[in-house]
Amino acid sequence: MTTAMHWAFDNTYARELEGYYEPWQPAASPDPTLVALNDALAGELALDPSWLRSDDGLAVLVGNTVPDGAEPIAQAYSGHQFGYLSPMLGDGRAVLLGELIDGNGNRRDISFKGSGRTPFSRGGDGKAVLGPVLREYVVGEAMHALGIPTTRALAAVTTGETVLREQGMLPGAILTRVASSHLRVGTFEMANHHGSPEHVRKLADYAIARHYPELDAGDHAGFLSAVVTRQAELIAAWMSIGFIHGVMNSDNMTISGETIDYGPCAFMDAYDDQRVFSSIDTGGRYRYANQPPIAVWNLSLLAETLVPLIADNTVVDDGRRPAETSQDEDVRKQAIDDAIADATRRVEAFAPQCSDAYLRRFRAKLGLQGKDAADQQLVDELLSIMKLNQADFTGTFRRLAKVLGGEADAVRERITDVTTYDAWQAKWLDRLGEQDHATTAKQMDAVNPVYIPRNHLVEQALQAAVDGELGPFEQLLDAVTDPFTERPGLERYAEPAPDGFTDRYVTFCGT
Ligand code: AMP
Ligand code: MG
């Protein structure tokens, strides 16, 4: 017999940010079946996995029972989608159940994706289907295993309903998503468009307390810089593993610095800095190489909402009155101009921070100790060789360590233009100089994954799952959640897609 479980919810968002959500119940599901449960994450959350597997647990995971202490809400947010403002987006197919304090004392949002219509659904059905739910599950868990900040999947369940999508009737599903919060750049845009600087202040102060407690309360300029820094680190991390998010709309950029919303995302196989997979990204706005500038674009939207607060923190000459509320028009105007200049500088700090983080990560990928002024060029040269030879991004970096292990041809054998490559390899070995090869190879293997969720394998696994066969999904999950350890029997997970696959491969947003 199972007993009802106590979930230690403490719902600060619902309590402190009235007006930023609608109370909302998840829709009931007729015939739930558990498809995947993340035992390790359940453990972190102090939830008992065997209870979650029981009928009572499943009823919670599918939204049929709302656990004690939960206050389900649909969050409101705006966002710029492909550069254009959508004044009201919000959780159209998601519900935030509440906030749990995990075993390490961290506050984690527990939410459902695909739990039915909400006041923000507009024309949508509020549902999700199994394939994209499992895609978010496996890619998010791979990102986590790669050490990249991300929202995570606690569970995937089918609801027993079928849902109409372009491809036909598909199994409905719900993802239980865990996030350090769901605050987005778009949440700030909503406070700004539908509220006032005072609404933004309330939100910013909430975000500072929740995600940047090291800052002084009310340090809105510092807050902007802190978000910029986290995003610079995040985007550099994406670039270092060949990840393309695919839909970096401002509603899909978190304040916490976690990756969110695995819709049309993909890992590149053959390296091409212009790679884009998303069916709707016809202009290539969210292509691989454009991710840093797009992050800056999104961060300037956040900055815009914070300008009045930064101005308000500027103290006028008499040293007492905040400039923005000063009665003197000129003083106010000057304070705003100064705040714009300050915010601009803070957003512009993204580029050098992201480049530094990028170079730090690529130095590690090449095993380079110390810093040499020519390191960036060494990286660039390898990337351009990879691009010309359509070399596999993940495989090339992983194989470089084998060169140090004595397999001199490990990379060369997969390159067409070997002359240029040989010259590069000699230069790289020269740069490694006296470094011990065995130690360096080990360090490289700790940052260059052997297994990533390769597009062709993800597609196979999801199709099999939709056809009722979960084996391929479970094997893929097993490979990518221990990405740095090469294991016998998993060879096909390390190989690039069959010829021609990548050129035809297109990803879709729709969950
Ligand atoms: P996303 O592509 O996940 O970033 O979603 C963009 C917006 O569309 C969000 O406001 C979603 O809640 C909403 N949305 C996406 N799919 C659906 C759906 N099937 N039903 C209702 N709203 C949806
Ligand atoms: Mg989204």
Side-chain angles (χ1 to χ4, degrees), residues 77 81 88-94 113 116-118 120-128 165 177 184 247 249 251-252 261 263-264 509-511:
Y77 52 85
Q81 299 178 300
M88 189 46 86
L89 290 167
D91 288 336
R93 53 172 164 177
K113 195 167 173 178
R117 286 181 54 79
T118 75
F120 305 106
S121 295
R122 294 166 289 157
D125 58 9
K127 312 275 184 189
R165 288 290 180 265
R177 178 158 81 179
R184 311 143 191 270
V247 61
N249 293 333
D251 52 304
N252 291 338
D261 266 4
C509 279
T511 312

Short mmCIF file of all heavy atoms in Angstrom, two decimals, residues 77 81 88-94 113 116-118 120-128 165 177 184 247 249 251-252 261 263-264 509-511, ligand 1:
data_model
loop_
_atom_site.label_atom_id
_atom_site.label_comp_id
_atom_site.label_asym_id
_atom_site.label_seq_id
_atom_site.Cartn_x
_atom_site.Cartn_y
_atom_site.Cartn_z
N TYR A 77 3.59 36.02 -19.11
CA TYR A 77 4.81 36.66 -19.61
C TYR A 77 4.59 37.13 -21.03
O TYR A 77 3.69 36.68 -21.73
CB TYR A 77 6.04 35.74 -19.52
CG TYR A 77 5.89 34.36 -20.14
CD1 TYR A 77 6.13 34.15 -21.49
CD2 TYR A 77 5.55 33.27 -19.36
CE1 TYR A 77 6.02 32.89 -22.06
CE2 TYR A 77 5.44 32.00 -19.92
CZ TYR A 77 5.67 31.81 -21.27
OH TYR A 77 5.56 30.56 -21.82
N GLN A 81 9.28 37.33 -30.18
CA GLN A 81 9.45 36.10 -30.94
C GLN A 81 9.97 36.48 -32.32
O GLN A 81 9.33 37.25 -33.03
CB GLN A 81 8.11 35.37 -31.06
CG GLN A 81 7.54 34.97 -29.68
CD GLN A 81 6.20 34.29 -29.78
OE1 GLN A 81 5.24 34.86 -30.30
NE2 GLN A 81 6.11 33.06 -29.30
N MET A 88 1.38 39.40 -24.93
CA MET A 88 0.95 38.43 -23.92
C MET A 88 1.08 37.00 -24.43
O MET A 88 0.33 36.56 -25.28
CB MET A 88 -0.51 38.71 -23.51
CG MET A 88 -0.96 37.90 -22.30
SD MET A 88 0.22 37.88 -20.92
CE MET A 88 -0.27 39.37 -20.06
N LEU A 89 2.09 36.31 -23.89
CA LEU A 89 2.25 34.89 -24.19
C LEU A 89 1.74 34.11 -22.98
O LEU A 89 0.57 33.80 -22.88
CB LEU A 89 3.70 34.56 -24.50
CG LEU A 89 4.23 35.11 -25.82
CD1 LEU A 89 5.74 35.02 -25.89
CD2 LEU A 89 3.60 34.34 -26.97
N GLY A 90 2.61 33.86 -22.02
CA GLY A 90 2.19 33.15 -20.82
C GLY A 90 2.16 31.65 -21.03
O GLY A 90 2.36 31.15 -22.13
N ASP A 91 1.93 30.92 -19.92
CA ASP A 91 1.89 29.46 -19.97
C ASP A 91 0.63 29.00 -20.68
O ASP A 91 -0.43 28.87 -20.07
CB ASP A 91 1.88 28.89 -18.54
CG ASP A 91 3.22 29.03 -17.85
OD1 ASP A 91 4.25 29.12 -18.56
OD2 ASP A 91 3.24 29.01 -16.61
N GLY A 92 0.74 28.74 -21.96
CA GLY A 92 -0.43 28.31 -22.74
C GLY A 92 -0.67 26.81 -22.65
O GLY A 92 -1.73 26.31 -22.97
N ARG A 93 0.37 26.09 -22.25
CA ARG A 93 0.24 24.63 -22.14
C ARG A 93 1.05 24.13 -20.95
O ARG A 93 1.57 23.02 -20.97
CB ARG A 93 0.71 23.96 -23.41
CG ARG A 93 2.10 24.43 -23.79
CD ARG A 93 2.71 23.68 -24.91
NE ARG A 93 3.85 24.47 -25.39
CZ ARG A 93 4.65 24.10 -26.34
NH1 ARG A 93 4.46 22.96 -26.93
NH2 ARG A 93 5.66 24.86 -26.71
N ALA A 94 1.19 25.00 -19.96
CA ALA A 94 1.99 24.60 -18.80
C ALA A 94 1.32 25.13 -17.53
O ALA A 94 0.53 26.08 -17.57
CB ALA A 94 3.40 25.18 -18.91
N LYS A 113 4.21 20.42 -18.35
CA LYS A 113 4.10 20.95 -19.71
C LYS A 113 3.17 19.99 -20.46
O LYS A 113 3.43 18.79 -20.49
CB LYS A 113 5.49 20.97 -20.35
CG LYS A 113 5.61 21.80 -21.59
CD LYS A 113 7.08 22.01 -21.93
CE LYS A 113 7.25 22.69 -23.27
NZ LYS A 113 8.67 22.92 -23.57
N GLY A 116 -2.96 20.88 -20.48
CA GLY A 116 -4.27 21.39 -20.89
C GLY A 116 -4.31 22.90 -21.05
O GLY A 116 -3.36 23.61 -20.72
N ARG A 117 -5.46 23.35 -21.56
CA ARG A 117 -5.61 24.77 -21.85
C ARG A 117 -5.55 25.62 -20.57
O ARG A 117 -5.87 25.14 -19.48
CB ARG A 117 -6.95 25.02 -22.56
CG ARG A 117 -6.96 24.55 -24.02
CD ARG A 117 -8.29 24.84 -24.69
NE ARG A 117 -8.67 26.25 -24.57
CZ ARG A 117 -8.16 27.22 -25.33
NH1 ARG A 117 -7.29 26.95 -26.25
NH2 ARG A 117 -8.55 28.46 -25.14
N THR A 118 -5.11 26.86 -20.74
CA THR A 118 -5.04 27.83 -19.63
C THR A 118 -5.58 29.16 -20.16
O THR A 118 -5.84 29.29 -21.37
CB THR A 118 -3.58 28.06 -19.16
OG1 THR A 118 -2.94 28.90 -20.14
CG2 THR A 118 -2.80 26.78 -19.00
N PHE A 120 -4.00 31.48 -21.00
CA PHE A 120 -3.01 32.01 -21.96
C PHE A 120 -2.89 31.15 -23.22
O PHE A 120 -1.96 31.31 -23.99
CB PHE A 120 -1.64 32.12 -21.29
CG PHE A 120 -1.66 32.95 -20.03
CD1 PHE A 120 -1.57 32.34 -18.79
CD2 PHE A 120 -1.81 34.33 -20.10
CE1 PHE A 120 -1.61 33.10 -17.63
CE2 PHE A 120 -1.85 35.09 -18.95
CZ PHE A 120 -1.75 34.48 -17.70
N SER A 121 -3.83 30.23 -23.43
CA SER A 121 -3.67 29.28 -24.53
C SER A 121 -3.94 29.88 -25.91
O SER A 121 -3.58 29.28 -26.92
CB SER A 121 -4.59 28.07 -24.33
OG SER A 121 -4.20 27.35 -23.19
N ARG A 122 -4.61 31.03 -25.94
CA ARG A 122 -5.01 31.59 -27.24
C ARG A 122 -5.65 30.49 -28.08
O ARG A 122 -6.53 29.79 -27.59
CB ARG A 122 -3.81 32.22 -27.94
CG ARG A 122 -3.27 33.45 -27.19
CD ARG A 122 -1.90 33.87 -27.68
NE ARG A 122 -0.89 32.91 -27.26
CZ ARG A 122 0.28 32.74 -27.84
NH1 ARG A 122 0.60 33.46 -28.88
NH2 ARG A 122 1.15 31.87 -27.38
N GLY A 123 -5.19 30.25 -29.31
CA GLY A 123 -5.84 29.22 -30.14
C GLY A 123 -5.39 27.80 -29.87
O GLY A 123 -5.90 26.86 -30.46
N GLY A 124 -4.40 27.63 -28.99
CA GLY A 124 -3.78 26.31 -28.82
C GLY A 124 -4.60 25.37 -27.96
O GLY A 124 -5.51 25.79 -27.24
N ASP A 125 -4.28 24.08 -28.02
CA ASP A 125 -5.04 23.08 -27.27
C ASP A 125 -4.45 22.81 -25.89
O ASP A 125 -5.00 22.03 -25.11
CB ASP A 125 -5.16 21.78 -28.07
CG ASP A 125 -3.79 21.19 -28.43
OD1 ASP A 125 -2.77 21.68 -27.91
OD2 ASP A 125 -3.75 20.24 -29.23
N GLY A 126 -3.30 23.43 -25.60
CA GLY A 126 -2.70 23.26 -24.28
C GLY A 126 -2.05 21.90 -24.05
O GLY A 126 -1.61 21.59 -22.95
N LYS A 127 -2.01 21.09 -25.10
CA LYS A 127 -1.50 19.72 -24.95
C LYS A 127 -0.07 19.60 -25.45
O LYS A 127 0.43 20.46 -26.18
CB LYS A 127 -2.36 18.75 -25.75
CG LYS A 127 -3.85 18.91 -25.55
CD LYS A 127 -4.33 18.15 -24.35
CE LYS A 127 -5.84 18.26 -24.25
NZ LYS A 127 -6.40 17.75 -23.04
N ALA A 128 0.56 18.50 -25.08
CA ALA A 128 1.86 18.14 -25.62
C ALA A 128 1.75 16.69 -26.09
O ALA A 128 0.87 15.96 -25.64
CB ALA A 128 2.94 18.27 -24.56
N ARG A 165 -2.05 16.63 -34.39
CA ARG A 165 -0.94 17.47 -34.86
C ARG A 165 -0.84 17.28 -36.37
O ARG A 165 -1.51 16.41 -36.93
CB ARG A 165 0.38 17.04 -34.18
CG ARG A 165 0.47 17.42 -32.70
CD ARG A 165 0.60 18.92 -32.50
NE ARG A 165 0.69 19.29 -31.09
CZ ARG A 165 -0.34 19.67 -30.33
NH1 ARG A 165 -1.57 19.68 -30.83
NH2 ARG A 165 -0.15 20.02 -29.06
N ARG A 177 8.48 19.16 -15.34
CA ARG A 177 9.72 19.89 -15.53
C ARG A 177 10.16 20.53 -14.22
O ARG A 177 9.35 21.09 -13.49
CB ARG A 177 9.51 20.96 -16.60
CG ARG A 177 10.73 21.81 -16.86
CD ARG A 177 10.67 22.44 -18.22
NE ARG A 177 9.84 23.63 -18.25
CZ ARG A 177 9.66 24.37 -19.35
NH1 ARG A 177 10.23 24.03 -20.49
NH2 ARG A 177 8.90 25.44 -19.32
N ARG A 184 11.66 34.67 -16.80
CA ARG A 184 12.28 34.83 -18.12
C ARG A 184 12.50 36.32 -18.39
O ARG A 184 11.89 37.17 -17.72
CB ARG A 184 11.32 34.34 -19.21
CG ARG A 184 10.74 32.98 -18.96
CD ARG A 184 9.29 32.91 -19.42
NE ARG A 184 8.67 31.67 -18.94
CZ ARG A 184 8.66 30.53 -19.61
NH1 ARG A 184 9.17 30.48 -20.80
NH2 ARG A 184 8.12 29.45 -19.09
N VAL A 247 15.37 28.40 -30.83
CA VAL A 247 14.28 29.38 -30.69
C VAL A 247 14.54 30.28 -29.47
O VAL A 247 13.84 30.25 -28.47
CB VAL A 247 12.89 28.70 -30.70
CG1 VAL A 247 12.71 27.73 -29.57
CG2 VAL A 247 11.76 29.73 -30.73
N ASN A 249 13.85 33.03 -28.46
CA ASN A 249 12.97 34.16 -28.22
C ASN A 249 13.15 34.63 -26.78
O ASN A 249 13.58 33.84 -25.92
CB ASN A 249 11.53 33.75 -28.48
CG ASN A 249 11.27 33.45 -29.95
OD1 ASN A 249 11.97 33.99 -30.82
ND2 ASN A 249 10.32 32.60 -30.24
N ASP A 251 11.20 35.09 -24.45
CA ASP A 251 10.44 34.32 -23.45
C ASP A 251 11.09 32.97 -23.18
O ASP A 251 10.69 32.26 -22.26
CB ASP A 251 8.99 34.12 -23.91
CG ASP A 251 8.90 33.54 -25.32
OD1 ASP A 251 9.47 34.15 -26.23
OD2 ASP A 251 8.29 32.48 -25.49
N ASN A 252 12.09 32.62 -23.99
CA ASN A 252 12.79 31.35 -23.76
C ASN A 252 14.20 31.58 -23.22
O ASN A 252 15.07 30.73 -23.36
CB ASN A 252 12.86 30.55 -25.07
CG ASN A 252 11.50 30.04 -25.50
OD1 ASN A 252 10.59 29.92 -24.67
ND2 ASN A 252 11.34 29.75 -26.77
N ASP A 261 13.31 25.22 -22.61
CA ASP A 261 12.48 25.02 -23.81
C ASP A 261 13.23 24.36 -24.96
O ASP A 261 13.70 25.01 -25.89
CB ASP A 261 11.85 26.34 -24.28
CG ASP A 261 10.45 26.48 -23.68
OD1 ASP A 261 10.06 25.60 -22.88
OD2 ASP A 261 9.76 27.45 -23.99
N GLY A 263 12.64 22.86 -27.83
CA GLY A 263 11.73 22.62 -28.94
C GLY A 263 12.51 22.16 -30.16
O GLY A 263 12.80 20.97 -30.32
N PRO A 264 12.89 23.14 -31.01
CA PRO A 264 13.57 22.77 -32.25
C PRO A 264 15.09 22.67 -32.10
O PRO A 264 15.82 22.77 -33.08
CB PRO A 264 13.20 23.94 -33.16
CG PRO A 264 13.08 25.09 -32.23
CD PRO A 264 12.60 24.56 -30.92
N CYS A 509 9.01 23.25 -33.58
CA CYS A 509 8.76 23.81 -32.25
C CYS A 509 7.73 23.01 -31.47
O CYS A 509 7.82 22.85 -30.28
CB CYS A 509 8.23 25.23 -32.37
SG CYS A 509 9.51 26.43 -32.63
N GLY A 510 6.73 22.53 -32.17
CA GLY A 510 5.50 22.07 -31.53
C GLY A 510 5.69 20.95 -30.54
O GLY A 510 6.22 19.90 -30.87
N THR A 511 5.24 21.19 -29.33
CA THR A 511 5.19 20.10 -28.36
C THR A 511 3.79 19.54 -28.44
O THR A 511 3.22 19.04 -27.60
CB THR A 511 5.57 20.63 -26.98
OG1 THR A 511 6.74 21.39 -27.13
CG2 THR A 511 5.85 19.52 -26.01
P1 AMP B 1 7.33 27.94 -26.90
O1 AMP B 1 7.46 27.64 -28.36
O2 AMP B 1 7.29 26.70 -26.06
O3 AMP B 1 8.32 28.90 -26.39
O4 AMP B 1 5.88 28.59 -26.74
C1 AMP B 1 5.55 29.89 -27.13
C2 AMP B 1 4.18 30.24 -26.61
O5 AMP B 1 3.17 29.46 -27.25
C3 AMP B 1 3.99 30.01 -25.11
O6 AMP B 1 3.20 31.04 -24.63
C4 AMP B 1 3.28 28.67 -25.08
O7 AMP B 1 2.55 28.51 -23.89
C5 AMP B 1 2.37 28.76 -26.30
N1 AMP B 1 2.01 27.44 -26.84
C6 AMP B 1 2.79 26.60 -27.56
N2 AMP B 1 2.11 25.46 -27.88
C7 AMP B 1 0.88 25.57 -27.37
C8 AMP B 1 -0.29 24.73 -27.35
N3 AMP B 1 -0.31 23.54 -27.93
N4 AMP B 1 -1.38 25.20 -26.71
C9 AMP B 1 -1.38 26.40 -26.12
N5 AMP B 1 -0.32 27.23 -26.09
C10 AMP B 1 0.80 26.83 -26.70
#
